[in-house]
Amino acid sequence: MARHGTTRAHRGTGAQLTMDSLLAYARRQDRADGLAHLRTRFVGADTELVYFDGNSLGRPPVAAIERVERFMREEWGGRLIRGWDESWLQLPYEIGDRIGRAVIEAKAGQTVIGDSTTVLLYKLARAAVDAQVARDPQRREIVVDRDNFPTDRYVLEGIAHETGCRLRWIDVDLERGVTPEQLAEVAGPHTALVVVNHVSYRSAYLADAPELTRIAHDAGALILWDLCHSAGSVPVHADRWEFDLAVGCTYKYLNGGPGSPAFAYVRDDLQQALRQPIQGWFGTADLFAMGPEYVPAPGIRRFVSGTSPITAMIAMQETLAMIEDVGMAAIRAKSIALTEYAIELADQWLAPLGVVVGSPRDAEERGGHVILQHDAMREVTARLWQRDVIPDYRDVGGLRVGLAPLSTSFEEVHRGLDATREVLREVLAERAGLG
Ligand SMILES: *Cc1c(COP(=O)(O)O)cnc(C)c1O
């Protein structure tokens, strides 16, 4: 099954590596890497620090420093309130459309930069559930898996509480995520909404988005995709896969900066049918009419609530320009090569120490990070941070190696996993000594 248009390229890495030194391989990959020049465009990429957390908070693009400063001096400082006249009001939709075009393949008018992912999830999920229950009072179930990202689960619990709907939980294998078989088993005439993470934040399992969407639709349900861990790392075809709704982060692979606002996608023919729950003046048909009551704007604008966080959406534009330049296919190819290499190093260096790769080995089922399981990983992560090697830790026993394709080099992967091996040996030696 050829999913997501990816191929099984990079198979056979292992055979190649046994004939070659692992470091020489990394250097050769870096020389051949068509995206290598982009690494120099990120703050700190020229230092010895190893960054394995670009999937949690991307590095700042160097050009964003100047862009933010220029914005503050010229636009905020120079234009003051006049800035809202045209350009700032349009910016959330302009950037939204760029994300639509370059990152998630959605035609214009369906994507907007809004609030945090959590708030957008709430707004879209609540709008979807309300519309479904109004259409058919039997549809009172929200399907979600137990390993879905915490904020998604909490938001949906809240919506269930508010609306009297029920959560229908899918138990997933922690090394994977929701499979088509599992969704087909629970989706039916009672399903209002299905919420799925495209890439699992823990295992990196890449859900079969077109297939799960089809299954939800066959059951008469709407589906909301959380693209936080795929946007900017794994190609998404929102229109072609017939998504209804989606949200995604901009501070992970899109390098928008800590707390930069998320994006929302709402399929155009659904927009008029949905009414989101946080009705504010920025989502009304005529913002400055200050009218007596709320009249939702036509189109995607009705999903906006209050004043758009303009300052916080400046930096992400640098990464969008890079993605527009090189395309998601090249980014995905490098992402696969990076994760394949990390898995190879883990197999050769860490497996003998008891580490288990907790991410899918098939690149077609894996997003942009790799999780390495061992009960010492909490301690290992803490010690690595002190040595300027920055992965993160996810319970239970998972060291997460996030590999942002635009800013990570193969040699960096080599350095980071070499340090991981050293620190893990150290921790295990101490344990043995204590034993
Ligand atoms: C990072 C992440 C979020 C974050 O939500 P915020 O509102 O930005 O804190 C949500 N969902 C997933 C799947 C994530 O990976």
Side-chain angles (χ1 to χ4, degrees), residues 246-279:
V247 294
C249 272
T250 62
Y251 53 79
K252 292 175 178 165
Y253 293 105
L254 298 182
N255 311 89
S260 65
F263 66 85
Y265 163 92
V266 182
R267 202 181 67 220
D268 53 10
D269 62 354
L270 257 184
Q271 292 171 1
Q272 296 309 107
L274 297 184
R275 191 167 175 122
Q276 61 103 343
I278 307 179
Q279 302 181 354

PDB file of all heavy atoms in Angstrom, residues 246-279:
ATOM      1  N   ALA A 246      -9.404  21.139  10.467  1.00  0.00           N
ATOM      2  CA  ALA A 246      -8.057  20.828  10.954  1.00  0.00           C
ATOM      3  C   ALA A 246      -7.510  22.006  11.745  1.00  0.00           C
ATOM      4  O   ALA A 246      -7.937  23.151  11.548  1.00  0.00           O
ATOM      5  CB  ALA A 246      -7.125  20.506   9.777  1.00  0.00           C
ATOM      6  N   VAL A 247      -6.601  21.683  12.647  1.00  0.00           N
ATOM      7  CA  VAL A 247      -5.866  22.727  13.370  1.00  0.00           C
ATOM      8  C   VAL A 247      -4.396  22.313  13.364  1.00  0.00           C
ATOM      9  O   VAL A 247      -4.076  21.129  13.191  1.00  0.00           O
ATOM     10  CB  VAL A 247      -6.336  22.887  14.836  1.00  0.00           C
ATOM     11  CG1 VAL A 247      -7.767  23.397  14.894  1.00  0.00           C
ATOM     12  CG2 VAL A 247      -6.193  21.581  15.612  1.00  0.00           C
ATOM     13  N   GLY A 248      -3.520  23.283  13.580  1.00  0.00           N
ATOM     14  CA  GLY A 248      -2.098  22.932  13.642  1.00  0.00           C
ATOM     15  C   GLY A 248      -1.278  24.036  14.285  1.00  0.00           C
ATOM     16  O   GLY A 248      -1.657  25.207  14.257  1.00  0.00           O
ATOM     17  N   CYS A 249      -0.161  23.628  14.859  1.00  0.00           N
ATOM     18  CA  CYS A 249       0.752  24.547  15.532  1.00  0.00           C
ATOM     19  C   CYS A 249       1.602  25.305  14.529  1.00  0.00           C
ATOM     20  O   CYS A 249       1.908  24.793  13.459  1.00  0.00           O
ATOM     21  CB  CYS A 249       1.740  23.742  16.376  1.00  0.00           C
ATOM     22  SG  CYS A 249       1.165  23.394  18.007  1.00  0.00           S
ATOM     23  N   THR A 250       2.075  26.471  14.922  1.00  0.00           N
ATOM     24  CA  THR A 250       3.053  27.191  14.101  1.00  0.00           C
ATOM     25  C   THR A 250       4.383  27.369  14.824  1.00  0.00           C
ATOM     26  O   THR A 250       5.327  27.899  14.254  1.00  0.00           O
ATOM     27  CB  THR A 250       2.530  28.587  13.695  1.00  0.00           C
ATOM     28  OG1 THR A 250       2.327  29.362  14.872  1.00  0.00           O
ATOM     29  CG2 THR A 250       1.231  28.480  12.915  1.00  0.00           C
ATOM     30  N   TYR A 251       4.451  26.969  16.102  1.00  0.00           N
ATOM     31  CA  TYR A 251       5.731  27.159  16.819  1.00  0.00           C
ATOM     32  C   TYR A 251       6.591  25.903  16.794  1.00  0.00           C
ATOM     33  O   TYR A 251       7.691  25.898  17.322  1.00  0.00           O
ATOM     34  CB  TYR A 251       5.497  27.609  18.270  1.00  0.00           C
ATOM     35  CG  TYR A 251       4.565  26.743  19.093  1.00  0.00           C
ATOM     36  CD1 TYR A 251       5.004  25.553  19.648  1.00  0.00           C
ATOM     37  CD2 TYR A 251       3.262  27.135  19.318  1.00  0.00           C
ATOM     38  CE1 TYR A 251       4.155  24.758  20.392  1.00  0.00           C
ATOM     39  CE2 TYR A 251       2.395  26.351  20.071  1.00  0.00           C
ATOM     40  CZ  TYR A 251       2.850  25.164  20.612  1.00  0.00           C
ATOM     41  OH  TYR A 251       2.000  24.381  21.337  1.00  0.00           O
ATOM     42  N   LYS A 252       6.092  24.823  16.183  1.00  0.00           N
ATOM     43  CA  LYS A 252       6.890  23.604  16.075  1.00  0.00           C
ATOM     44  C   LYS A 252       7.699  23.672  14.775  1.00  0.00           C
ATOM     45  O   LYS A 252       8.648  24.427  14.697  1.00  0.00           O
ATOM     46  CB  LYS A 252       5.962  22.395  16.176  1.00  0.00           C
ATOM     47  CG  LYS A 252       5.377  22.299  17.599  1.00  0.00           C
ATOM     48  CD  LYS A 252       4.350  21.222  17.805  1.00  0.00           C
ATOM     49  CE  LYS A 252       3.910  21.239  19.279  1.00  0.00           C
ATOM     50  NZ  LYS A 252       2.682  20.495  19.507  1.00  0.00           N
ATOM     51  N   TYR A 253       7.290  22.917  13.754  1.00  0.00           N
ATOM     52  CA  TYR A 253       8.084  22.891  12.522  1.00  0.00           C
ATOM     53  C   TYR A 253       7.978  24.184  11.704  1.00  0.00           C
ATOM     54  O   TYR A 253       8.664  24.323  10.695  1.00  0.00           O
ATOM     55  CB  TYR A 253       7.669  21.714  11.652  1.00  0.00           C
ATOM     56  CG  TYR A 253       7.999  20.355  12.223  1.00  0.00           C
ATOM     57  CD1 TYR A 253       7.014  19.548  12.770  1.00  0.00           C
ATOM     58  CD2 TYR A 253       9.302  19.867  12.193  1.00  0.00           C
ATOM     59  CE1 TYR A 253       7.307  18.290  13.277  1.00  0.00           C
ATOM     60  CE2 TYR A 253       9.611  18.615  12.686  1.00  0.00           C
ATOM     61  CZ  TYR A 253       8.610  17.819  13.230  1.00  0.00           C
ATOM     62  OH  TYR A 253       8.908  16.569  13.719  1.00  0.00           O
ATOM     63  N   LEU A 254       7.108  25.109  12.098  1.00  0.00           N
ATOM     64  CA  LEU A 254       6.997  26.361  11.334  1.00  0.00           C
ATOM     65  C   LEU A 254       7.751  27.519  11.994  1.00  0.00           C
ATOM     66  O   LEU A 254       7.713  28.647  11.497  1.00  0.00           O
ATOM     67  CB  LEU A 254       5.518  26.718  11.095  1.00  0.00           C
ATOM     68  CG  LEU A 254       4.717  25.690  10.275  1.00  0.00           C
ATOM     69  CD1 LEU A 254       3.278  26.167  10.064  1.00  0.00           C
ATOM     70  CD2 LEU A 254       5.366  25.413   8.926  1.00  0.00           C
ATOM     71  N   ASN A 255       8.399  27.252  13.137  1.00  0.00           N
ATOM     72  CA  ASN A 255       9.336  28.219  13.741  1.00  0.00           C
ATOM     73  C   ASN A 255       8.723  29.587  14.031  1.00  0.00           C
ATOM     74  O   ASN A 255       9.373  30.615  13.848  1.00  0.00           O
ATOM     75  CB  ASN A 255      10.570  28.401  12.824  1.00  0.00           C
ATOM     76  CG  ASN A 255      11.171  27.077  12.387  1.00  0.00           C
ATOM     77  OD1 ASN A 255      10.773  26.518  11.379  1.00  0.00           O
ATOM     78  ND2 ASN A 255      12.103  26.564  13.158  1.00  0.00           N
ATOM     79  N   GLY A 256       7.480  29.606  14.475  1.00  0.00           N
ATOM     80  CA  GLY A 256       6.816  30.888  14.738  1.00  0.00           C
ATOM     81  C   GLY A 256       7.206  31.519  16.067  1.00  0.00           C
ATOM     82  O   GLY A 256       6.886  32.680  16.312  1.00  0.00           O
ATOM     83  N   GLY A 257       7.850  30.745  16.947  1.00  0.00           N
ATOM     84  CA  GLY A 257       8.244  31.268  18.261  1.00  0.00           C
ATOM     85  C   GLY A 257       7.283  30.806  19.342  1.00  0.00           C
ATOM     86  O   GLY A 257       6.144  30.438  19.058  1.00  0.00           O
ATOM     87  N   PRO A 258       7.756  30.836  20.600  1.00  0.00           N
ATOM     88  CA  PRO A 258       6.954  30.297  21.711  1.00  0.00           C
ATOM     89  C   PRO A 258       5.561  30.934  21.776  1.00  0.00           C
ATOM     90  O   PRO A 258       5.440  32.147  21.887  1.00  0.00           O
ATOM     91  CB  PRO A 258       7.773  30.629  22.958  1.00  0.00           C
ATOM     92  CG  PRO A 258       8.894  31.509  22.515  1.00  0.00           C
ATOM     93  CD  PRO A 258       9.046  31.377  21.049  1.00  0.00           C
ATOM     94  N   GLY A 259       4.539  30.110  21.669  1.00  0.00           N
ATOM     95  CA  GLY A 259       3.167  30.607  21.765  1.00  0.00           C
ATOM     96  C   GLY A 259       2.652  31.286  20.515  1.00  0.00           C
ATOM     97  O   GLY A 259       1.592  31.917  20.544  1.00  0.00           O
ATOM     98  N   SER A 260       3.357  31.142  19.385  1.00  0.00           N
ATOM     99  CA  SER A 260       2.826  31.763  18.166  1.00  0.00           C
ATOM    100  C   SER A 260       1.479  31.098  17.835  1.00  0.00           C
ATOM    101  O   SER A 260       1.272  29.920  18.096  1.00  0.00           O
ATOM    102  CB  SER A 260       3.814  31.615  17.002  1.00  0.00           C
ATOM    103  OG  SER A 260       3.993  30.259  16.642  1.00  0.00           O
ATOM    104  N   PRO A 261       0.544  31.890  17.291  1.00  0.00           N
ATOM    105  CA  PRO A 261      -0.828  31.396  17.138  1.00  0.00           C
ATOM    106  C   PRO A 261      -0.948  30.262  16.122  1.00  0.00           C
ATOM    107  O   PRO A 261      -0.182  30.179  15.164  1.00  0.00           O
ATOM    108  CB  PRO A 261      -1.598  32.625  16.670  1.00  0.00           C
ATOM    109  CG  PRO A 261      -0.562  33.535  16.087  1.00  0.00           C
ATOM    110  CD  PRO A 261       0.698  33.284  16.848  1.00  0.00           C
ATOM    111  N   ALA A 262      -1.934  29.430  16.343  1.00  0.00           N
ATOM    112  CA  ALA A 262      -2.153  28.241  15.512  1.00  0.00           C
ATOM    113  C   ALA A 262      -2.974  28.595  14.277  1.00  0.00           C
ATOM    114  O   ALA A 262      -3.512  29.696  14.157  1.00  0.00           O
ATOM    115  CB  ALA A 262      -2.876  27.181  16.335  1.00  0.00           C
ATOM    116  N   PHE A 263      -3.082  27.618  13.369  1.00  0.00           N
ATOM    117  CA  PHE A 263      -3.960  27.816  12.206  1.00  0.00           C
ATOM    118  C   PHE A 263      -5.151  26.875  12.286  1.00  0.00           C
ATOM    119  O   PHE A 263      -5.092  25.819  12.915  1.00  0.00           O
ATOM    120  CB  PHE A 263      -3.197  27.635  10.887  1.00  0.00           C
ATOM    121  CG  PHE A 263      -2.695  26.230  10.631  1.00  0.00           C
ATOM    122  CD1 PHE A 263      -3.506  25.262  10.045  1.00  0.00           C
ATOM    123  CD2 PHE A 263      -1.384  25.875  10.972  1.00  0.00           C
ATOM    124  CE1 PHE A 263      -3.036  23.972   9.807  1.00  0.00           C
ATOM    125  CE2 PHE A 263      -0.907  24.594  10.731  1.00  0.00           C
ATOM    126  CZ  PHE A 263      -1.737  23.643  10.153  1.00  0.00           C
ATOM    127  N   ALA A 264      -6.234  27.315  11.666  1.00  0.00           N
ATOM    128  CA  ALA A 264      -7.433  26.477  11.553  1.00  0.00           C
ATOM    129  C   ALA A 264      -7.787  26.345  10.088  1.00  0.00           C
ATOM    130  O   ALA A 264      -7.634  27.309   9.323  1.00  0.00           O
ATOM    131  CB  ALA A 264      -8.597  27.116  12.298  1.00  0.00           C
ATOM    132  N   TYR A 265      -8.219  25.160   9.713  1.00  0.00           N
ATOM    133  CA  TYR A 265      -8.719  24.904   8.358  1.00  0.00           C
ATOM    134  C   TYR A 265     -10.172  24.475   8.473  1.00  0.00           C
ATOM    135  O   TYR A 265     -10.498  23.596   9.289  1.00  0.00           O
ATOM    136  CB  TYR A 265      -7.890  23.785   7.713  1.00  0.00           C
ATOM    137  CG  TYR A 265      -8.521  23.142   6.489  1.00  0.00           C
ATOM    138  CD1 TYR A 265      -8.243  23.606   5.201  1.00  0.00           C
ATOM    139  CD2 TYR A 265      -9.394  22.059   6.603  1.00  0.00           C
ATOM    140  CE1 TYR A 265      -8.819  23.023   4.084  1.00  0.00           C
ATOM    141  CE2 TYR A 265      -9.976  21.463   5.485  1.00  0.00           C
ATOM    142  CZ  TYR A 265      -9.685  21.945   4.226  1.00  0.00           C
ATOM    143  OH  TYR A 265     -10.252  21.363   3.128  1.00  0.00           O
ATOM    144  N   VAL A 266     -11.038  25.106   7.713  1.00  0.00           N
ATOM    145  CA  VAL A 266     -12.440  24.681   7.636  1.00  0.00           C
ATOM    146  C   VAL A 266     -12.799  24.582   6.159  1.00  0.00           C
ATOM    147  O   VAL A 266     -12.664  25.566   5.409  1.00  0.00           O
ATOM    148  CB  VAL A 266     -13.399  25.687   8.325  1.00  0.00           C
ATOM    149  CG1 VAL A 266     -14.838  25.161   8.261  1.00  0.00           C
ATOM    150  CG2 VAL A 266     -12.989  25.938   9.773  1.00  0.00           C
ATOM    151  N   ARG A 267     -13.205  23.403   5.732  1.00  0.00           N
ATOM    152  CA  ARG A 267     -13.542  23.182   4.316  1.00  0.00           C
ATOM    153  C   ARG A 267     -14.585  24.197   3.872  1.00  0.00           C
ATOM    154  O   ARG A 267     -15.557  24.449   4.600  1.00  0.00           O
ATOM    155  CB  ARG A 267     -14.055  21.765   4.129  1.00  0.00           C
ATOM    156  CG  ARG A 267     -13.927  21.255   2.711  1.00  0.00           C
ATOM    157  CD  ARG A 267     -14.481  19.855   2.568  1.00  0.00           C
ATOM    158  NE  ARG A 267     -15.916  19.864   2.776  1.00  0.00           N
ATOM    159  CZ  ARG A 267     -16.572  18.919   3.448  1.00  0.00           C
ATOM    160  NH1 ARG A 267     -15.932  17.918   3.999  1.00  0.00           N
ATOM    161  NH2 ARG A 267     -17.875  18.992   3.581  1.00  0.00           N
ATOM    162  N   ASP A 268     -14.429  24.765   2.680  1.00  0.00           N
ATOM    163  CA  ASP A 268     -15.268  25.922   2.348  1.00  0.00           C
ATOM    164  C   ASP A 268     -16.764  25.623   2.365  1.00  0.00           C
ATOM    165  O   ASP A 268     -17.539  26.453   2.835  1.00  0.00           O
ATOM    166  CB  ASP A 268     -14.810  26.611   1.049  1.00  0.00           C
ATOM    167  CG  ASP A 268     -14.677  25.669  -0.131  1.00  0.00           C
ATOM    168  OD1 ASP A 268     -15.112  24.503  -0.025  1.00  0.00           O
ATOM    169  OD2 ASP A 268     -14.129  26.109  -1.165  1.00  0.00           O
ATOM    170  N   ASP A 269     -17.171  24.436   1.900  1.00  0.00           N
ATOM    171  CA  ASP A 269     -18.620  24.212   1.857  1.00  0.00           C
ATOM    172  C   ASP A 269     -19.222  23.882   3.227  1.00  0.00           C
ATOM    173  O   ASP A 269     -20.423  23.675   3.346  1.00  0.00           O
ATOM    174  CB  ASP A 269     -18.991  23.148   0.810  1.00  0.00           C
ATOM    175  CG  ASP A 269     -18.392  21.796   1.119  1.00  0.00           C
ATOM    176  OD1 ASP A 269     -17.594  21.691   2.081  1.00  0.00           O
ATOM    177  OD2 ASP A 269     -18.700  20.832   0.390  1.00  0.00           O
ATOM    178  N   LEU A 270     -18.382  23.839   4.246  1.00  0.00           N
ATOM    179  CA  LEU A 270     -18.891  23.625   5.615  1.00  0.00           C
ATOM    180  C   LEU A 270     -19.031  24.946   6.371  1.00  0.00           C
ATOM    181  O   LEU A 270     -19.729  25.033   7.370  1.00  0.00           O
ATOM    182  CB  LEU A 270     -17.871  22.789   6.408  1.00  0.00           C
ATOM    183  CG  LEU A 270     -18.099  21.328   6.658  1.00  0.00           C
ATOM    184  CD1 LEU A 270     -16.967  20.813   7.551  1.00  0.00           C
ATOM    185  CD2 LEU A 270     -19.441  21.070   7.331  1.00  0.00           C
ATOM    186  N   GLN A 271     -18.309  25.955   5.897  1.00  0.00           N
ATOM    187  CA  GLN A 271     -18.162  27.177   6.692  1.00  0.00           C
ATOM    188  C   GLN A 271     -19.501  27.804   7.065  1.00  0.00           C
ATOM    189  O   GLN A 271     -19.728  28.172   8.220  1.00  0.00           O
ATOM    190  CB  GLN A 271     -17.269  28.176   5.953  1.00  0.00           C
ATOM    191  CG  GLN A 271     -15.826  27.694   5.853  1.00  0.00           C
ATOM    192  CD  GLN A 271     -14.956  28.540   4.940  1.00  0.00           C
ATOM    193  OE1 GLN A 271     -15.425  29.526   4.366  1.00  0.00           O
ATOM    194  NE2 GLN A 271     -13.709  28.147   4.775  1.00  0.00           N
ATOM    195  N   GLN A 272     -20.418  27.897   6.094  1.00  0.00           N
ATOM    196  CA  GLN A 272     -21.702  28.560   6.365  1.00  0.00           C
ATOM    197  C   GLN A 272     -22.552  27.750   7.347  1.00  0.00           C
ATOM    198  O   GLN A 272     -23.387  28.304   8.052  1.00  0.00           O
ATOM    199  CB  GLN A 272     -22.501  28.746   5.073  1.00  0.00           C
ATOM    200  CG  GLN A 272     -21.833  29.661   4.068  1.00  0.00           C
ATOM    201  CD  GLN A 272     -21.392  30.998   4.657  1.00  0.00           C
ATOM    202  OE1 GLN A 272     -20.201  31.228   4.855  1.00  0.00           O
ATOM    203  NE2 GLN A 272     -22.345  31.863   4.976  1.00  0.00           N
ATOM    204  N   ALA A 273     -22.320  26.449   7.386  1.00  0.00           N
ATOM    205  CA  ALA A 273     -23.163  25.579   8.217  1.00  0.00           C
ATOM    206  C   ALA A 273     -22.706  25.562   9.673  1.00  0.00           C
ATOM    207  O   ALA A 273     -23.404  25.044  10.536  1.00  0.00           O
ATOM    208  CB  ALA A 273     -23.152  24.162   7.652  1.00  0.00           C
ATOM    209  N   LEU A 274     -21.525  26.102   9.944  1.00  0.00           N
ATOM    210  CA  LEU A 274     -20.992  26.016  11.304  1.00  0.00           C
ATOM    211  C   LEU A 274     -21.083  27.362  12.021  1.00  0.00           C
ATOM    212  O   LEU A 274     -20.879  28.422  11.423  1.00  0.00           O
ATOM    213  CB  LEU A 274     -19.538  25.537  11.278  1.00  0.00           C
ATOM    214  CG  LEU A 274     -19.295  24.139  10.715  1.00  0.00           C
ATOM    215  CD1 LEU A 274     -17.820  23.776  10.852  1.00  0.00           C
ATOM    216  CD2 LEU A 274     -20.148  23.084  11.395  1.00  0.00           C
ATOM    217  N   ARG A 275     -21.345  27.272  13.293  1.00  0.00           N
ATOM    218  CA  ARG A 275     -21.394  28.474  14.136  1.00  0.00           C
ATOM    219  C   ARG A 275     -20.474  28.212  15.312  1.00  0.00           C
ATOM    220  O   ARG A 275     -20.721  27.317  16.111  1.00  0.00           O
ATOM    221  CB  ARG A 275     -22.832  28.683  14.601  1.00  0.00           C
ATOM    222  CG  ARG A 275     -23.043  30.023  15.240  1.00  0.00           C
ATOM    223  CD  ARG A 275     -24.517  30.324  15.401  1.00  0.00           C
ATOM    224  NE  ARG A 275     -24.673  31.571  16.120  1.00  0.00           N
ATOM    225  CZ  ARG A 275     -25.319  32.630  15.651  1.00  0.00           C
ATOM    226  NH1 ARG A 275     -25.887  32.584  14.466  1.00  0.00           N
ATOM    227  NH2 ARG A 275     -25.416  33.730  16.384  1.00  0.00           N
ATOM    228  N   GLN A 276     -19.413  28.964  15.387  1.00  0.00           N
ATOM    229  CA  GLN A 276     -18.434  28.678  16.449  1.00  0.00           C
ATOM    230  C   GLN A 276     -18.854  29.360  17.751  1.00  0.00           C
ATOM    231  O   GLN A 276     -19.579  30.343  17.742  1.00  0.00           O
ATOM    232  CB  GLN A 276     -17.022  29.056  15.995  1.00  0.00           C
ATOM    233  CG  GLN A 276     -16.813  30.508  15.654  1.00  0.00           C
ATOM    234  CD  GLN A 276     -16.088  31.241  16.770  1.00  0.00           C
ATOM    235  OE1 GLN A 276     -16.026  30.765  17.896  1.00  0.00           O
ATOM    236  NE2 GLN A 276     -15.580  32.422  16.455  1.00  0.00           N
ATOM    237  N   PRO A 277     -18.390  28.822  18.891  1.00  0.00           N
ATOM    238  CA  PRO A 277     -18.947  29.233  20.185  1.00  0.00           C
ATOM    239  C   PRO A 277     -18.364  30.520  20.783  1.00  0.00           C
ATOM    240  O   PRO A 277     -18.935  31.030  21.740  1.00  0.00           O
ATOM    241  CB  PRO A 277     -18.601  28.046  21.087  1.00  0.00           C
ATOM    242  CG  PRO A 277     -17.338  27.499  20.502  1.00  0.00           C
ATOM    243  CD  PRO A 277     -17.457  27.689  19.019  1.00  0.00           C
ATOM    244  N   ILE A 278     -17.236  31.002  20.283  1.00  0.00           N
ATOM    245  CA  ILE A 278     -16.691  32.221  20.894  1.00  0.00           C
ATOM    246  C   ILE A 278     -16.915  33.374  19.925  1.00  0.00           C
ATOM    247  O   ILE A 278     -16.041  33.769  19.144  1.00  0.00           O
ATOM    248  CB  ILE A 278     -15.199  32.061  21.274  1.00  0.00           C
ATOM    249  CG1 ILE A 278     -15.020  30.817  22.148  1.00  0.00           C
ATOM    250  CG2 ILE A 278     -14.710  33.314  22.032  1.00  0.00           C
ATOM    251  CD1 ILE A 278     -13.593  30.532  22.568  1.00  0.00           C
ATOM    252  N   GLN A 279     -18.132  33.880  19.972  1.00  0.00           N
ATOM    253  CA  GLN A 279     -18.539  34.909  19.022  1.00  0.00           C
ATOM    254  C   GLN A 279     -17.962  36.245  19.443  1.00  0.00           C
ATOM    255  O   GLN A 279     -18.338  36.778  20.479  1.00  0.00           O
ATOM    256  CB  GLN A 279     -20.060  35.020  19.003  1.00  0.00           C
ATOM    257  CG  GLN A 279     -20.742  33.715  18.648  1.00  0.00           C
ATOM    258  CD  GLN A 279     -22.249  33.852  18.619  1.00  0.00           C
ATOM    259  OE1 GLN A 279     -22.794  34.892  18.967  1.00  0.00           O
ATOM    260  NE2 GLN A 279     -22.921  32.809  18.200  1.00  0.00           N
TER     261      GLN A 279
END
